[in-house]
Short mmCIF file of all heavy atoms in Angstrom, two decimals:
data_model
loop_
_atom_site.label_atom_id
_atom_site.label_comp_id
_atom_site.label_asym_id
_atom_site.label_seq_id
_atom_site.Cartn_x
_atom_site.Cartn_y
_atom_site.Cartn_z
N GLU A 22 0.83 -6.03 7.75
CA GLU A 22 2.02 -5.31 8.21
C GLU A 22 1.56 -4.15 9.07
O GLU A 22 0.69 -3.38 8.68
CB GLU A 22 2.77 -4.80 6.97
CG GLU A 22 4.15 -4.29 7.27
CD GLU A 22 4.79 -3.69 6.03
OE1 GLU A 22 4.44 -4.12 4.90
OE2 GLU A 22 5.60 -2.79 6.18
N ARG A 95 4.59 -7.09 -13.07
CA ARG A 95 5.47 -8.18 -12.61
C ARG A 95 6.49 -7.67 -11.61
O ARG A 95 6.88 -8.36 -10.69
CB ARG A 95 6.18 -8.82 -13.82
CG ARG A 95 5.30 -9.86 -14.52
CD ARG A 95 6.08 -10.63 -15.56
NE ARG A 95 6.44 -9.82 -16.71
CZ ARG A 95 5.61 -9.53 -17.72
NH1 ARG A 95 4.37 -9.97 -17.71
NH2 ARG A 95 6.00 -8.79 -18.73
N PRO A 105 -10.99 -11.33 -17.04
CA PRO A 105 -11.37 -11.16 -18.45
C PRO A 105 -11.84 -9.73 -18.72
O PRO A 105 -12.44 -9.09 -17.84
CB PRO A 105 -12.53 -12.13 -18.63
CG PRO A 105 -12.66 -12.90 -17.38
CD PRO A 105 -11.75 -12.35 -16.35
N LEU A 127 -24.07 7.97 -8.10
CA LEU A 127 -22.74 8.02 -7.49
C LEU A 127 -22.24 9.46 -7.40
O LEU A 127 -21.09 9.71 -7.06
CB LEU A 127 -21.75 7.18 -8.30
CG LEU A 127 -22.06 5.67 -8.29
CD1 LEU A 127 -21.19 4.94 -9.29
CD2 LEU A 127 -21.85 5.09 -6.89
N ALA A 140 -15.62 1.17 -13.50
CA ALA A 140 -15.50 -0.24 -13.85
C ALA A 140 -14.46 -0.91 -12.96
O ALA A 140 -14.67 -2.02 -12.43
CB ALA A 140 -15.12 -0.39 -15.32
N VAL A 144 -15.34 -3.99 -10.17
CA VAL A 144 -14.68 -5.29 -10.19
C VAL A 144 -14.03 -5.56 -8.84
O VAL A 144 -14.10 -6.65 -8.29
CB VAL A 144 -13.62 -5.32 -11.33
CG1 VAL A 144 -12.68 -6.49 -11.17
CG2 VAL A 144 -14.32 -5.37 -12.68
N SER A 229 -3.09 24.50 7.34
CA SER A 229 -3.90 23.94 8.41
C SER A 229 -3.10 22.87 9.17
O SER A 229 -3.12 22.82 10.40
CB SER A 229 -5.20 23.41 7.80
OG SER A 229 -5.71 22.42 8.59
N ARG A 338 -19.70 -9.88 31.35
CA ARG A 338 -19.53 -9.54 32.77
C ARG A 338 -20.75 -9.91 33.60
O ARG A 338 -21.88 -9.85 33.10
CB ARG A 338 -19.38 -8.02 32.90
CG ARG A 338 -18.00 -7.53 32.86
CD ARG A 338 -18.03 -6.04 33.16
NE ARG A 338 -16.77 -5.46 32.77
CZ ARG A 338 -15.64 -5.61 33.46
NH1 ARG A 338 -15.63 -6.31 34.56
NH2 ARG A 338 -14.54 -5.06 33.03
N GLY A 357 -20.85 -26.44 44.37
CA GLY A 357 -20.83 -26.63 45.83
C GLY A 357 -21.49 -27.96 46.19
O GLY A 357 -21.00 -28.70 47.05
N LEU A 543 13.95 17.19 -0.19
CA LEU A 543 13.28 16.69 1.03
C LEU A 543 12.66 17.84 1.82
O LEU A 543 11.55 17.72 2.35
CB LEU A 543 14.27 15.92 1.90
CG LEU A 543 14.70 14.57 1.33
CD1 LEU A 543 15.80 13.94 2.19
CD2 LEU A 543 13.52 13.62 1.24
N TYR A 553 7.44 20.77 9.84
CA TYR A 553 8.52 21.72 10.01
C TYR A 553 9.72 21.17 9.23
O TYR A 553 9.74 20.00 8.86
CB TYR A 553 8.88 21.84 11.49
CG TYR A 553 7.99 22.79 12.28
CD1 TYR A 553 6.67 23.00 11.92
CD2 TYR A 553 8.48 23.49 13.38
CE1 TYR A 553 5.86 23.86 12.65
CE2 TYR A 553 7.68 24.35 14.11
CZ TYR A 553 6.36 24.53 13.74
OH TYR A 553 5.56 25.38 14.47
N ALA A 592 13.70 11.93 -20.21
CA ALA A 592 12.62 12.22 -21.15
C ALA A 592 11.32 12.47 -20.38
O ALA A 592 10.57 13.40 -20.67
CB ALA A 592 12.44 11.04 -22.11
N ASN A 596 9.16 15.90 -20.48
CA ASN A 596 7.80 15.87 -21.02
C ASN A 596 6.75 16.19 -19.97
O ASN A 596 5.62 16.49 -20.31
CB ASN A 596 7.48 14.48 -21.59
CG ASN A 596 8.30 14.21 -22.83
OD1 ASN A 596 8.61 15.14 -23.58
ND2 ASN A 596 8.68 12.96 -23.03
N ARG A 634 11.43 26.26 -17.57
CA ARG A 634 11.65 27.38 -16.66
C ARG A 634 11.17 27.09 -15.25
O ARG A 634 10.48 27.90 -14.63
CB ARG A 634 10.95 28.64 -17.21
CG ARG A 634 11.38 29.01 -18.61
CD ARG A 634 10.54 30.12 -19.19
NE ARG A 634 10.95 31.42 -18.70
CZ ARG A 634 11.90 32.16 -19.23
NH1 ARG A 634 12.55 31.72 -20.30
NH2 ARG A 634 12.21 33.32 -18.73
#
Side-chain angles (χ1 to χ4, degrees):
E22 192 185 332
R95 277 189 290 280
L127 295 170
V144 165
S229 154
R338 269 186 196 285
L543 290 174
Y553 277 30
N596 291 328
R634 305 172 79 86

